[in-house]
Amino acid sequence: MCQETERQYYYMDRARQHVQALTQQLGRIPTCCVTTFGCQMNARDSEKLAGILRRVGYEVTETEDADFVIFNTCTVRDNANQRVYGRLGELKSRKKHNPAMKIALCGCMMQEPAVIEKLRSSYRFVDLVFGTHNIFKFAELLCRSFEEQGMIVDIWEDTDQIVEDLPVERKYPFKSGINIMFGCNNFCSYCIVPYVRGRERSREPMEILREIRQLVAEGVVEVMLLGQNVNSYGKNLENPISFAQLLREVEQIEGLERIRFMTSHPKDLSEELIQVMKESKKICRHLHLPLQSGSTRILERMNRRYTKEQYLALAEKIRREIPDIAITTDIIVGFPGETMEDVEETIDVIRRVKYDNAFTFIYSKRTGTPAAAMENQVPQDQVKEGFDRVLKVVQDTAREQVARYQGQRAQVLVEEVNTQDERLLTGRMSNNTLVHFPGPPELVGRIVTVLLEECQGFYYMGHMVSEKSLAKSL
Ligand code: SAH
Ligand code: SF4
Ligand code: F3S
């Protein structure tokens, strides 16, 4: 165990004593709630926060009516920030009724100096604030918040540290995210992530494989390898290794059934990766390949480092090599200088690639990014018109794409009892499409074979044909 990990375990023991005292004072076990905003990487960080909170003696709950509430924030678009401020207002009134309550904030938004200033001046009721680079110090900071008065703020500019082996409380017993790298070096001109997550750092393959083996021993059957640009994984390690090589190693892990990953930057997607995916029995038939824009002119201004033609050629090659793959994407509408002709180019790519799903975002100006200083910010009504047009095409093509398996059998990992109808189970196909079908709750976490009876837009209704994963199915 590394020195920093040991240090944090020391603080966990110390925090446990504070929580024990609080338990006595309250006459019950104190509760905590971790609320996640943003991407899968934040969701994984939240599992680490919850792991520490549980270890020091809190009961983890889903409600913010708790004794310790932490918001793990996102700042990728301005509406993510606004939601945090809105929710903080609600917490303030909760704290009035529960003076022992502690409120903490962490995550990407905290790396912005303007946010910290605002918190210091208008949100004094917050107890603890830290950022993305020192999240591994959570136990230590938690201790300080028991031992010191007033708001504790600890934000680092950057870090090269990767602290392994801290406790984790997983949301699902049967699937898990795994960080394979942190940060981003791409500096797409609209994006704040490189500023708030720091430079790209890959974890050692040995550490990743060890973690996955451990998860499999605990019952995990599906892993999602996480990074802002997984295709550049391993390039900066002392002993460099490619992402495709890492996947080959992960594939060998016995008992692991499914491998997913995100996100793939098109500029770094290698021929080797396509071959590994093609040959693999475990890598899921899904590739998230963010397009952002279909206009070469805009792509250049976005600093994406591929052209429309290069993207189309890549997508075509992937479809040719792996015909049953689902391709999904992210699209931004309203980037500075974007015209309706540019939007048409994006629509053209959507029609040609035929995405199974696409997340469409309205461009959000992020302070400090090159795009924020660009002229020709697009007027709102034009953005709205472009957005609606893109969304319509996305929905039409996705519906067609998703429906192409109607009548076939598919292997489905059962994820939960349906939230609307408890007679139904909800699971995911290898290509990430959701399927609902009647079945008993005991099947949650298992891979079963389901007949895809009816496609209803973006998901299927079906019925189970076997409680096993039959090889002759999707
Ligand atoms: N690393 C991933 C993306 C992470 S952010 C990648 O390169 O694909 C997730 C998505 O948010 C991006 O793909 C982009 O579509 C969107 N996004 C990022 N910054 C944005 C901004 N300023 N305004 C609107 N959408 C943005
Ligand atoms: Fe942002 Fe681009 Fe990095 Fe993705 S690759 S996180 S969009 S800078
Ligand atoms: Fe948001 Fe940070 Fe993820 S800004 S999208 S939570 S890396």
Side-chain angles (χ1 to χ4, degrees), residues 227-280:
Q228 293 298 352
N229 176 12
V230 291
N231 296 327
S232 71
Y233 168 78
K235 288 187 182 152
N236 300 324
L237 285 171
E238 213 174 288
N239 298 309
I241 159 174
S242 70
F243 180 53
Q245 278 171 295
L246 176 74
L247 282 172
R248 280 208 184 95
E249 303 265 338
V250 176
E251 174 107 17
Q252 304 299 321
I253 297 177
E254 221 166 292
L256 181 65
E257 306 272 355
R258 282 182 168 187
I259 305 165
R260 298 186 184 277
F261 54 84
M262 88 191 294
T263 298
S264 281
H265 195 306
K267 79 176 166 64
D268 295 316
L269 198 144
S270 67
E271 179 65 39
E272 189 193 7
L273 177 67
I274 300 175
Q275 289 314 314
V276 169
M277 286 185 83
K278 186 177 169 179
E279 289 156 18
S280 169

Side-chain angles (χ1 to χ4, degrees), residues 369-413:
T369 61
M374 286 181 189
E375 286 169 9
N376 310 326
Q377 301 279 330
V378 183
Q380 264 191 351
D381 48 346
Q382 186 192 318
V383 176
K384 171 106 186 42
E385 191 191 334
F387 182 83
D388 290 346
R389 282 169 69 175
V390 168
L391 198 64
K392 172 87 175 51
V393 183
V394 161
Q395 285 173 343
D396 292 348
T397 47
R399 211 169 274 134
E400 239 175 75
Q401 266 309 102
V402 173
R404 65 186 169 146
Y405 300 113
Q406 186 149 317
Q408 297 195 40
R409 291 169 172 202
Q411 298 182 31
V412 172
L413 171 58

Side-chain angles (χ1 to χ4, degrees), residues 37-42 73-76 108 192-193 196-197 228:
F37 298 81
C39 65
Q40 310 253 11
M41 263 151 284
N42 255 21
T73 63
C74 169
T75 187
V76 78
C108 296
I192 200 164
V193 171
V196 296
R197 285 273 173 177
Q228 293 298 352

Side-chain angles (χ1 to χ4, degrees), residues 40-51:
Q40 310 253 11
M41 263 151 284
N42 255 21
R44 182 64 179 159
D45 284 345
S46 289
E47 292 186 341
K48 297 176 184 169
L49 298 169

Side-chain angles (χ1 to χ4, degrees), residues 6-217:
E6 262 176 43
R7 237 178 120 243
Q8 294 308 316
Y9 274 94
Y10 159 78
Y11 282 110
M12 281 177 235
D13 287 343
R14 192 153 138 184
R16 180 189 284 274
Q17 291 168 15
H18 293 297
V19 177
Q20 267 167 4
L22 181 63
T23 308
Q24 297 220 315
Q25 181 196 325
L26 296 172
R28 58 176 172 82
I29 295 177
T31 55
C32 70
C33 176
V34 183
T35 301
T36 312
F37 298 81
C39 65
Q40 310 253 11
M41 263 151 284
N42 255 21
R44 182 64 179 159
D45 284 345
S46 289
E47 292 186 341
K48 297 176 184 169
L49 298 169
I52 289 171
L53 285 164
R54 195 162 91 127
R55 194 176 164 102
V56 304
Y58 281 99
E59 182 189 337
V60 182
T61 63
E62 297 282 313
T63 145
E64 284 169 19
D65 198 5
D67 301 298
F68 186 97
V69 177
I70 180 162
F71 285 175
N72 189 8
T73 63
C74 169
T75 187
V76 78
R77 286 171 289 276
D78 187 54
N79 55 9
N81 292 41
Q82 295 314 321
R83 286 210 338 266
V84 169
Y85 289 124
R87 297 275 286 277
L88 262 182
E90 290 167 27
L91 286 191
K92 187 179 182 182
S93 48
R94 288 217 163 107
K95 194 168 179 171
K96 276 198 189 123
H97 297 118
N98 179 5
M101 180 180 182
K102 280 188 191 298
I103 299 171
L105 294 170
C106 67
C108 296
M109 202 175 144
M110 301 305 126
Q111 294 297 137
E112 290 183 274
V115 170
I116 301 300
E117 248 169 67
K118 185 163 170 169
L119 292 171
R120 282 194 200 274
S121 62
S122 314
Y123 294 83
R124 299 293 313 168
F125 58 93
V126 173
D127 300 276
L128 173 60
V129 180
F130 56 99
T132 55
H133 304 302
N134 57 347
I135 187 168
F136 66 84
K137 270 183 69 182
F138 177 47
E140 184 176 345
L141 292 166
L142 185 63
C143 256
R144 277 183 60 193
S145 82
F146 277 109
E147 292 162 10
E148 293 171 29
Q149 295 294 315
M151 190 186 215
I152 294 170
V153 180
D154 189 8
I155 308 289
W156 294 5
E157 293 262 309
D158 211 339
T159 186
D160 53 8
Q161 254 173 303
I162 296 179
V163 181
E164 302 280 353
D165 295 320
L166 293 174
V168 182
E169 163 114 346
R170 274 183 289 113
K171 192 167 170 204
Y172 299 95
F174 53 87
K175 68 169 185 177
S176 180
I178 316 272
N179 300 105
I180 62 166
M181 59 206 297
F182 302 93
C184 181
N185 284 352
N186 290 303
F187 291 95
C188 302
S189 63
Y190 50 81
C191 184
I192 200 164
V193 171
Y195 304 88
V196 296
R197 285 273 173 177
R199 293 295 64 72
E200 190 179 292
R201 304 174 305 283
S202 294
R203 276 178 80 194
E204 287 294 339
M206 291 301 288
E207 296 285 358
I208 297 168
L209 295 169
R210 191 161 63 95
E211 184 178 352
I212 300 177
R213 280 193 204 102
Q214 178 61 35
L215 289 168
V216 171

